Amino acid sequence: MDTPVKSAESLDLFVNATQQFERALSWAEGLKEGVINFLINPKRMIHVRFPVTMDDGSTRTFHGFRVLHSDVRGPGKGGIRYHPDVTEAEVSALAAFMTWKTAVVDLPFGGAKGGVVCNPKQLSRRELRHITRRFVAELGDNIGPHTDVPAPDVYTNAQTMAWIYDTYDRMHAGGNNLAVVTGKPIEIGGSLGRDQATSRGAWNATEQLLRRGAVPGLHTLEGTRVAVQGYGNVGSVAAKVFHAAGSIIVAVSDSRGGIASEDGFDPRAVLDHKRETGSVIGFPGSQMISNTELLASDCDILIPAALECQVTEANARDIKAKLIVEAANGPLTAVADQVLLQKGVIVLPDILANAGGVVVSYFEWVQNLQNQKWNLDKVERLLNEKMCRAVDETVDRFDGLRDRYENGLNTSSGGPTLRDAALVNAISRIGEVIVQRDIWP
Ligand code: NAD
């Protein structure tokens, strides 16, 4: 294998998203330069500042963003994140990932993302409710069932989505506004299966990838050793579904650190412990490890399910897993990708691995618009079908790119990755819509 051309590493997610996109373009064909420029940068970015009265009577100003990266294939779709480190660049990158993700799984959506700079761990429920309501009021008609549809992300949940719906509904009385946001509680139009969808989708995709023989030396989940970074909505459910499929969960972590066990954990018992104590740390019988040690765990499958840029040039060489399933968005830098390519570690990329969340968000949106309620079996069956089809299309594209590489195309790339393949599929789907809609005069 040739040595890939290496770009400088950045921990800025937008830079990484752009590096990934540019790498994929070297495999794509037939896109005009003007179209490429349009696809790299977001279509619309909204900044809002708004005051909130805190519990102690003081007033604080909060800063929020909503970025619509693309609406070429349909309304914007993407989560809202509450975190002290939220930046415009991060939200823009996450919005771009949503554009590629909705195209990879062929949903009639574009890509968007939002965030508010705040620390939910230091805010009361009343303060969070006021922040959410003011944020939605400030966004006004820049969100809506047919324009831009938010969903949960880091440190937001079904309750946050209920506040978003209620605020928007009050501002647009008299219509069916349920489809303005997904990830809502079941009682107000949420879909069965949405809470587990991202992790179930990652599991469905992993099983299909193994069935396709795309991971040398790994053909079934039965008996595989799995490490999970992050034990929130996505990580804790991923541990549960992989465990139920026969995997041994040998290490898990959260923001306070990690735990390991040679014999494996019962993920439900670890979650009970986290609910009681606030962390996975101290789980009876476990060995305490750092997050760095977790990433380098002796395992077959590593599932990053926390934040971005966790696997970098500095620690990628220490990864022992054969397969990385990117349940989080952007957990690997573009340079780490190249190191892992050279090591022969397969990466199931975020825009495919964690697409289950937006797939069931789409099911929720359809149910809301049609006043329907689907049963859990139907949701899980259709989710599995969508994920398996997207994996098949990605592996087929990968095989095609590898043939072209072996015939001398793009030799400086070091060879194609599944991320390249998924991005090429996304870019060509978006390109086809641009041509069919004849968008530019
Ligand atoms: P969450 O807030 O429920 O959980 C995040 C977890 O990460 C928490 O357990 C937290 O303690 C842990 N964490 C934070 N910093 C950490 C660190 N430095 N090291 C280890 N753990 C750390 O968020 P979530 O909804 O589970 O989202 C996790 C990731 O999955 C994010 O990248 C998000 O964008 C992505 N994602 C979420 C969804 C969804 O449906 N919720 C869908 C697609 C992608």
Side-chain angles (χ1 to χ4, degrees):
M1 182 186 287
D2 296 331
T3 306
V5 174
K6 240 178 79 187
S7 24
E9 180 162 67
S10 166
L11 297 184
D12 178 324
L13 194 61
F14 193 72
V15 174
N16 280 290
T18 307
Q19 286 172 343
Q20 290 174 357
F21 180 75
E22 283 172 348
R23 203 188 124 89
L25 283 179
S26 65
W27 298 103
E29 289 167 315
L31 267 190
K32 285 195 203 153
E33 200 177 322
V35 177
I36 294 169
N37 287 339
F38 177 69
L39 288 180
I40 287 182
N41 291 303
K43 172 172 173 162
R44 185 178 72 196
M45 302 164 86
I46 298 165
H47 283 239
V48 291
R49 287 182 194 278
F50 51 90
V52 171
T53 303
M54 310 303 284
D55 290 350
D56 64 5
S58 65
T59 300
R60 259 177 67 189
T61 300
F62 288 87
H63 190 181
F65 308 92
R66 184 73 188 171
V67 174
L68 176 67
H69 177 261
S70 170
D71 59 0
V72 166
R73 286 173 46 85
K77 189 83 195 76
I80 290 182
R81 171 176 293 203
Y82 288 175
H83 196 277
D85 299 335
V86 165
T87 63
E88 179 183 295
E90 178 189 67
V91 175
S92 301
L94 293 166
F97 288 148
M98 289 306 297
T99 300
W100 317 136
K101 195 180 299 183
T102 52
V104 166
V105 286
D106 203 9
L107 301 177
F109 285 132
K113 205 80 179 189
V116 176
V117 185
C118 65
N119 187 349
K121 290 183 180 169
Q122 293 169 2
L123 294 165
S124 69
R125 182 186 160 96
R126 191 202 70 86
E127 290 168 335
L128 282 169
R129 190 174 66 232
H130 280 268
I131 289 169
T132 305
R133 288 190 184 285
R134 287 305 304 249
F135 182 45
V136 172
E138 293 297 333
L139 291 177
D141 282 336
N142 290 300
I143 61 167
H146 300 288
T147 51
D148 182 356
V149 184
D153 194 69
V154 173
Y155 296 144
T156 58
N157 53 29
Q159 177 60 75
T160 327
M161 302 306 114
W163 292 329
I164 292 175
Y165 163 68
D166 183 67
T167 311
Y168 183 90
D169 190 54
R170 280 160 185 267
M171 291 163 60
H172 299 81
N176 170 10
N177 293 310
L178 288 172
V180 67
V181 65
T182 58
K184 300 179 294 293
I186 305 296
E187 299 74 17
I188 53 166
S191 177
L192 290 172
R194 174 61 185 86
D195 51 347
Q196 309 220 345
T198 304
S199 314
R200 281 190 77 87
W203 162 58
N204 294 153
T206 305
E207 291 224 304
Q208 185 64 4
L209 192 71
L210 300 190
R211 274 194 288 269
R212 288 290 305 255
V215 187
L218 214 56
H219 301 289
T220 167
L221 284 183
E222 191 67 47
T224 51
R225 296 164 60 78
V226 173
V228 184
Q229 184 197 38
Y231 217 67
N233 291 333
V234 177
S236 65
V237 180
K240 197 181 81 180
V241 292
F242 276 75
H243 181 258
S247 295
I248 305 162
I249 310 300
V250 292
V252 302
S253 70
D254 60 27
S255 57
R256 299 197 202 160
I259 52 172
S261 161
E262 264 302 303
D263 300 335
F265 293 114
D266 170 357
R268 286 173 199 272
V270 176
L271 187 60
D272 288 344
H273 176 80
K274 183 170 165 74
R275 286 195 176 127
E276 274 163 33
T277 66
S279 174
V280 297
I281 291 176
F283 182 72
S286 68
Q287 176 201 345
M288 199 169 155
I289 55 170
S290 67
N291 258 303
T292 314
E293 287 168 327
L294 178 128
L295 295 173
S297 293
D298 186 11
C299 62
D300 301 301
I301 301 178
L302 172 65
I303 308 182
L307 297 174
E308 48 266 12
C309 297
Q310 296 296 302
V311 181
T312 63
E313 187 172 23
N315 58 16
R317 277 183 193 81
D318 301 330
I319 301 269
K320 299 187 187 69
K322 298 181 183 73
L323 170 67
I324 299 181
V325 177
E326 290 189 318
N329 284 308
L332 274 55
T333 65
V335 174
D337 253 353
Q338 291 179 345
V339 174
L340 294 165
L341 173 64
Q342 282 180 294
K343 268 174 69 87
V345 177
I346 307 294
V347 177
L348 186 59
D350 46 9
I351 57 171
L352 174 54
N354 70 35
V358 72
V359 168
V360 178
S361 274
Y362 165 65
F363 296 161
E364 181 174 332
W365 185 77
V366 170
Q367 291 171 73
N368 291 160
L369 292 176
Q370 300 180 348
N371 283 313
Q372 290 189 24
K373 277 186 188 295
W374 298 356
N375 62 40
L376 187 58
D377 282 352
K378 176 171 177 172
V379 170
E380 291 181 350
R381 178 174 50 78
L382 293 179
L383 169 64
N384 189 29
E385 279 176 18
K386 269 269 181 223
M387 296 306 297
C388 290
R389 194 174 313 132
V391 169
D392 284 342
E393 288 167 349
T394 303
V395 173
D396 290 345
R397 175 72 72 172
F398 174 85
D399 290 344
L401 297 184
R402 195 182 43 200
D403 287 349
R404 286 164 65 201
Y405 175 70
E406 284 167 1
N407 286 319
L409 176 88
N410 207 359
T411 48
S412 62
S413 64
T417 62
L418 289 174
R419 191 188 314 282
D420 295 331
L423 274 167
V424 170
N425 280 351
I427 292 166
S428 44
R429 269 199 178 125
I430 295 163
E432 277 160 25
V433 174
I434 288 174
V435 170
Q436 295 296 328
R437 287 178 66 168
D438 203 359
I439 285 177
W440 279 283

